[in-house]
Amino acid sequence: YREQIPIDKGLDNSLSLMMEGYRYISNRREKFGRDIFETRLLGGQKAICIAGKDAAEVFYDEEKFIRQGAAPKRVRQTIFGEKAIQTMDGASHEHRKAVFMSLMSRESLEEVVHITRDEYDQFISRWEGMDRVVLFEESKELLTRVACRWAGVPLQEEEVKIRTNQLAALFDSAAAVGPRHWRGRQARNSSESWIKGMIEQIRAGNMETQEGTALHELAWYRDSNGKLLNSQVTAVEVINILRPIVAIAVYIAFCALAIHDFPEQAGKLTSKDDSYDEMFVQEVRRYYPFFPFAAARVKKDFLWKGHDFKKGNLVLLDIYGTNHHRDIWERPWEFNPKRFADRKDDPFDFIPQGGGDYHKGHRCPGEWLTIEVMKVSVDTFVRKMYYDMPKQDLNYSMMRMPSLPKSRVILTNIKRKL
Ligand code: HEM
């Protein structure tokens, strides 16, 4: 059978997308009573929006979708970079993805946990001497240090602030307009030339790197034709490791917010047993908005749920909406870490960092690292330090991408727990 899917009328609904943000797709799905509809976005292009577990399953079928030509220019010029893995398909994508996945071994993840603990330890000493700590700002710097140490990228003390701001501007600017967007483009240029210079030094034999680190493995990665990537694209991929580690600051801010807003659930964190910690951070990743949707293009014509998907169609998978979908989650608008107690892992129903297969598809290779860093953060907040949260505006916007508590989470009276 074939049927007409609902259409969100208008020549270009980009303004509604900007005004409704994370809820744009969910709002239309509710209005139409369907998990699929058509709209026009990003300069009037036709786009099909889909949500739910079945939608994620079809979206991550590499026979049906490709990424080439899916990411808009403003995204490639800020958060992704040109010729990044996010825009690749098929065998060449899989080949390059293997390097990213090789960086996520158990030992490597233990290393990132160790480094993150060490940085928190030093930051607590610094915070003890401060009247007021803006957690989001401090976390970005902490994570820049973590990212560079873990990836093997040398970072001079004098450049910590500037690199922090550059890496943060990359993920803060993709959906922004005006100065916030332009800061992102500038940051893209400066951070690429920083790492590009390093890659050239490494290849010229003027700089040592440690085997197993992201910098080393990407500098010497050869594609399926046996060729090194050019230094520009190599820099793009090194930044594809550094930038998202710094972006975990968004989740750290939301972890602190959840501890504050849901004292009953957070209360269970104080026990010595840390099995609840993982459930708590999983619920933070489900509940709060971060990535709104993923984009791909139809590879070849196919019929799905009565709708003709035509080669070249742009399709958006509602990530935020799928993480709040009623068919998947009981009382999706409740913050309830216990829902993760007896959940069976499914690659398509819990997708804050994408779905499907890590190696073959585009699912985030940094998902385990993100969970580990969040667990260290929660452990630090509840077991390693005392703090107060003075009156402040903790509301987070559903329009701003990425969303953040307005105050950026202010902490006072920080003292180490001994
Ligand atoms: C891809 C989210 C952290 C590296 C993705 C995707 C999402 C995502 C939604 C795209 C999935 C798709 O296109 O279908 C997040 C969030 C993070 C995070 C919310 C929290 C801060 C990280 C970390 C790293 C990382 C820590 C690396 C250390 C990447 C890379 C890709 C990716 C390289 C592209 C993968 C591909 O195209 O095959 N991430 N991510 N991310 N992420 Fe993450």
Side-chain angles (χ1 to χ4, degrees), residues 14-82:
S14 300
L15 193 63
S16 309
L17 174 62
M18 269 179 60
M19 298 305 290
E20 296 172 53
Y22 290 96
R23 294 223 170 92
Y24 171 78
I25 300 180
S26 308
N27 287 346
R28 302 293 169 300
R29 284 167 44 220
E30 266 162 41
K31 178 172 132 192
F32 298 132
R34 295 285 309 271
D35 279 340
I36 178 170
F37 67 89
E38 185 184 310
T39 182
R40 287 187 177 273
L41 294 172
L42 311 162
Q45 273 187 86
K46 182 169 127 175
I48 300 159
C49 302
I50 56 176
K53 182 175 158 170
D54 296 352
E57 193 157 359
V58 73
F59 184 86
Y60 284 103
D61 178 347
E62 290 94 44
E63 295 299 306
K64 295 194 170 66
F65 287 96
I66 56 170
R67 299 304 177 97
Q68 197 195 351
K73 200 164 183 180
R74 58 165 35 248
V75 168
R76 300 197 315 272
Q77 283 171 332
T78 53
I79 190 165
F80 287 1
E82 294 287 354

Side-chain angles (χ1 to χ4, degrees), residues 95 98 122 230 276 281 283 301 307 315 350 370 383 395 401:
H95 199 274
Q122 299 183 44
N230 72 41
Y276 187 75
V281 307
E283 183 67 345
D301 297 3
H307 179 71
V315 176
F350 175 46
T370 304
R383 299 189 192 90
N395 287 304
M401 291 178 189

Side-chain angles (χ1 to χ4, degrees), residues 60 67 85-86 93 97 100 104 240-241 244-245 247-248 251 290-291 319 352-354 361-362 364-366 369-370:
Y60 284 103
R67 299 304 177 97
I85 187 163
Q86 287 92 332
H93 169 265
K97 187 68 175 279
F100 284 88
M104 304 297 165
N240 244 337
I241 296 281
I245 294 179
I248 302 172
Y251 275 151
F290 197 159
F291 248 75
I319 287 188
Q353 296 181 225
H362 287 270
C364 176
L369 188 153
T370 304

Side-chain angles (χ1 to χ4, degrees), residues 151-191:
V153 172
L155 183 68
Q156 306 305 318
E157 201 50 42
E158 325 66 87
E159 63 176 338
V160 173
K161 289 243 149 47
I162 177 159
R163 298 306 174 202
T164 299
N165 290 336
Q166 282 169 357
L167 294 168
L170 294 174
F171 65 79
D172 197 49
S173 54
V177 291
R180 225 177 99 207
H181 181 70
W182 289 100
R183 268 199 297 279
R185 290 214 195 180
Q186 276 170 355
R188 173 55 57 195
N189 293 334
S190 349
S191 54

Side-chain angles (χ1 to χ4, degrees), residues 369-414:
L369 188 153
T370 304
I371 293 169
E372 291 307 318
V373 169
M374 289 172 75
K375 276 160 56 182
V376 173
S377 304
V378 164
D379 177 56
T380 303
F381 300 153
V382 301
R383 299 189 192 90
K384 303 273 158 47
M385 61 194 252
Y386 298 101
Y387 60 88
D388 291 329
M389 276 173 71
K391 233 188 150 76
Q392 56 190 290
D393 186 355
L394 288 165
N395 287 304
Y396 55 95
S397 158
M398 294 305 278
M399 281 154 68
R400 189 191 199 280
M401 291 178 189
S403 181
L404 278 169
K406 277 230 172 58
S407 63
R408 307 295 187 259
V409 187
I410 297 164
L411 309 181
T412 54
N413 300 324
I414 292 179

Side-chain angles (χ1 to χ4, degrees), residues 6 49 73 81 88 99 126 160 175 179 193 241 246 253 276 286 301 340 342 346 358 384 389 400 404 418:
C49 302
K73 200 164 183 180
M88 297 173 75
V99 196
R126 154 166 148 183
V160 173
S193 53
I241 296 281
V246 179
Y276 187 75
R286 185 195 72 82
D301 297 3
F340 284 95
D342 316 295
D346 183 301
Y358 291 99
K384 303 273 158 47
M389 276 173 71
R400 189 191 199 280
L404 278 169
L418 295 171

